[in-house]
């Protein structure tokens, strides 16, 4: 995809509706939806038929992501793994990063260099430094930007339906 | 063989023709109606299939927008329906029935969130429109609904064209069939008349033959038995007719028979003979039942004397 496409502006309002959805629950739902529109390499083995969504134990998203345990994606049950060591990230298919992961991001990148892991973050610095999907708030809405180059390096294919909704695709 | 009066026969024939025509027209109308009905059902099924395909395309392209609650992207997805003139309105709803996006052509009434019965049935057919609802799935679970409403104006226009063409073909076929039947009936009637002539007329003298005489005699006797009165029988036998044949040839014999019967016919016309019949050298004549025996006998003798003199 050439250059930077400005696509549809998202998404759910954060505080305007009568019963606003808490921000982190909304982000947890986004993580699930991103995984729905992502294709992993066919040769990738999902151990135990599980889709591992990894998160720092200190992350505020840990609790809302727990609500995804009952769901599945493409026939694979969702397992929420709380990983506090960089070495433990190899078995992940989705990794959510926030500001608490900022310091170890460079190490994480090295470890995941050859891995097909969908990295999602709501931290601006990590977003600027090579995560695949970056969440941010804009006018009381959550929007996301996609780094297609990083996705290709991870051998992940993001659906055009998802790309169409992104604020920017780089 | 008793023969129906020609006027009655013609009238019956005309009625038979009209009855055949009416039967054929009824059959063609029934066939045309069934064809039009079948065409209507086929057009309706095609329309529903077309709308179903569009609903599927919409649903496939609106999953992400629905999941991320992106109204603008959903509206853009519905906007492609502008290329489908039959679609009047459409909408994308989440599972709770909240509308995410809608499409309306020329201020048409918007679609409503689909009731469960409509989703289960797939579509609902009304007189002037059809509404189709389809669940939007992703990864095997429902996330919303797409609803399309199409009007049936185009369908009815196509059906009217087809009905007109069908009726024109039916009427054309009926006209051709009528002409063919009428022509065939004329041919058959002519053949029947020819067969009747061959069966009842002696080819040499042109007079009714023995078969015709027998029929006329039976008919006359039956009429007399029923209504009373009497009939007479005149038998003419030419003596030495064989000599004519042997000396002057068969042609002269035939000519003699022809002249005799021509004279007999002339006498018959004067005496109101009903039928003269000929068998070789013999001729028979019967008197009409209403003629009195005495008067007929006198006239026959007088005419026969003239004939004998001539011959």
């Amino acid at each position: 995809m050439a250059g930077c496409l400005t696509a549809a502006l998202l998404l759910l309002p954060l505080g305007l509706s009568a019963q606003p959805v808490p921000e982190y629950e909304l982000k947890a739902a986004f993580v699930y939806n991103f995984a729905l529109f992502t294709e992993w390499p066919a040769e990738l083995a999902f151990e135990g038929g599980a889709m591992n969504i990894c998160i720092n134990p200190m992350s505020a998203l840990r609790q809302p992501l727990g609500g995804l345990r009952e769901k599945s994606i493409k026939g694979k049950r969702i397992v929420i793994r709380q990983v506090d060591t960089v070495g433990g990230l190899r078995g992940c298919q989705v990794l959510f990063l926030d500001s608490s992961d900022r310091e170890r991001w460079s190490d994480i990148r090295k470890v995941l260099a050859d891995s097909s892991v969908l990295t999602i973050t709501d931290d601006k610095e990590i977003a600027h430094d090579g995560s695949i999907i970056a969440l941010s708030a804009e006018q009381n809405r959550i929007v996301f930007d996609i780094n297609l180059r990083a996705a290709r390096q991870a051998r992940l294919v993001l659906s055009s339906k998802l790309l169409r909704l992104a604020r920017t695709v780089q | 063989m008793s023969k129906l009066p020609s006027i009655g026969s013609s009238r019956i024939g005309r009625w038979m023709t009209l009855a055949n025509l009416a039967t054929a027209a009824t059959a063609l109308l029934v066939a045309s109606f069934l064809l039009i009905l079948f065409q209507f059902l086929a057009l309706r099924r095609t329309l529903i299939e077309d709308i179903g395909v569009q609903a599927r395309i919409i649903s496939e392209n609106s999953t992400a927008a629905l999941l991320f609650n992106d109204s603008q992207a959903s509206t853009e997805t519905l906007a492609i329906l502008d290329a489908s003139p039959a679609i009047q309105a459409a909408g994308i709803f989440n599972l709770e029935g909240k509308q995410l996006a809608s499409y309306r052509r020329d201020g048409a009434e918007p679609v409503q969130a689909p009731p469960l019965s409509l989703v289960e049935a797939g579509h609902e057919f009304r007189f002037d429109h059809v509404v189709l609802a389809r669940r939007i799935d992703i990864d095997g679970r429902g996330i919303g609904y797409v609803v399309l409403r199409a009007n049936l104006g185009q369908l009815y226009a196509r059906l009217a064209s087809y009905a007109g063409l069908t009726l024109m073909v039916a009427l054309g076929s009926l006209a051709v069939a009528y002409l063919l039947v009428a022509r065939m009936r004329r041919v058959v009637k002519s053949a029947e008349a020819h067969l009747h002539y061959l069966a009842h007329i002696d080819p040499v003298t042109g007079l009714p033959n023995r078969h015709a005489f027998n029929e006329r005699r039976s008919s006359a006797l039956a009429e007399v038995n029923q209504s009373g009165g009497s009939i007479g029988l005149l038998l003419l036998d030419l003596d030495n007719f064989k000599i004519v044949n042997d000396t002057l040839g068969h042609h002269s014999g035939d000519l003699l028979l022809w002249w005799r019967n021509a004279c007999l016919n002339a006498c018959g016309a004067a005496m109101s003979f009903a039928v003269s019949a000929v068998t070789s050298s013999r001729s028979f004549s019967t008197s009409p039942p209403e003629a009195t025996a005495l008067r007929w006998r006198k006239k026959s003798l007088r005419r026969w004397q003239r004939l004998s003199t001539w011959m």
Side-chain angles (χ1 to χ4, degrees), chain A residues 131-148:
Chain A
S131 71
I132 296 175
I133 298 176
L135 295 170
S136 56
E138 184 180 277
Q139 297 177 344
N140 289 322
R141 291 174 177 267
I142 291 182
V143 296
F144 63 88
D145 304 284
I146 292 179
N147 186 335
L148 207 53

Side-chain angles (χ1 to χ4, degrees), chain A residues 81-147:
Chain A
R81 290 177 55 185
Q82 299 178 30
V83 182
D84 52 2
T85 60
V86 174
L89 298 175
R90 289 189 178 278
C92 299
Q93 281 80 46
V94 180
L95 174 61
F96 184 82
L97 306 153
D98 59 13
S99 55
S100 61
D101 298 301
R102 193 180 297 166
E103 291 182 359
R104 57 175 189 163
W105 168 238
S106 57
D107 296 332
I108 292 174
R109 285 191 67 182
K110 290 174 185 173
V111 170
L112 300 181
D114 298 325
S115 302
S116 297
V117 178
L118 178 66
T119 51
I120 306 166
T121 183
D122 61 355
D123 182 72
K124 287 184 179 178
E125 288 192 20
I126 296 177
H128 288 139
D129 197 20
S131 71
I132 296 175
I133 298 176
L135 295 170
S136 56
E138 184 180 277
Q139 297 177 344
N140 289 322
R141 291 174 177 267
I142 291 182
V143 296
F144 63 88
D145 304 284
I146 292 179
N147 186 335

Side-chain angles (χ1 to χ4, degrees), chain A residues 13-23:
Chain A
L14 293 174
L16 295 179
S17 61
Q19 289 182 323
V21 180
E23 177 183 351

Side-chain angles (χ1 to χ4, degrees), chain B residues 15 64 100 121 257 268 275-276:
Chain B
W15 276 109
L100 183 65
L257 287 175
V275 166
S276 291

Side-chain angles (χ1 to χ4, degrees), chain B residues 222-285:
Chain B
E223 194 173 345
V224 167
N225 286 338
Q226 189 176 4
S227 310
S230 61
I231 61 170
L233 176 67
L234 180 63
L235 172 62
L236 304 179
D237 192 359
L238 298 183
D239 291 335
N240 301 320
F241 180 71
K242 186 172 181 299
I243 295 175
V244 177
N245 272 343
D246 293 344
T247 56
L248 300 176
H250 284 276
H251 178 71
S252 298
D254 291 345
L255 198 61
L256 176 62
L257 287 175
W258 189 87
W259 275 109
R260 177 203 61 181
N261 288 300
C263 182
L264 196 58
N265 269 341
C267 295
M271 294 161 61
S272 300
F273 284 176
V275 166
S276 291
V278 61
T279 60
S280 68
S281 61
R282 292 179 177 178
S283 293
F284 303 89
S285 290

Side-chain angles (χ1 to χ4, degrees), chain A residues 8-13 29-30 32-34 36-37 71-75 141 144 161-162 164-165, chain B residues 59-78 138-139 141 143:
Chain A
L9 184 63
L10 297 190
L11 291 157
L12 290 177
F30 271 45
Y32 174 76
N33 291 343
F34 292 145
L36 273 177
F37 292 98
K71 295 188 175 182
S72 63
I73 294 175
K74 299 171 184 172
R141 291 174 177 267
F144 63 88
K161 298 170 188 174
L162 187 64
R164 183 181 168 206
L165 300 181
Chain B
S59 65
E60 289 293 328
N61 286 298
S62 59
T63 49
L66 193 58
L67 278 176
F68 288 99
N69 202 31
D70 190 334
S71 178
Q72 184 180 346
S74 298
T75 303
E76 288 173 5
T77 302
L78 288 180
I138 184 166
D139 203 25
R141 66 184 179 92
I143 57 174

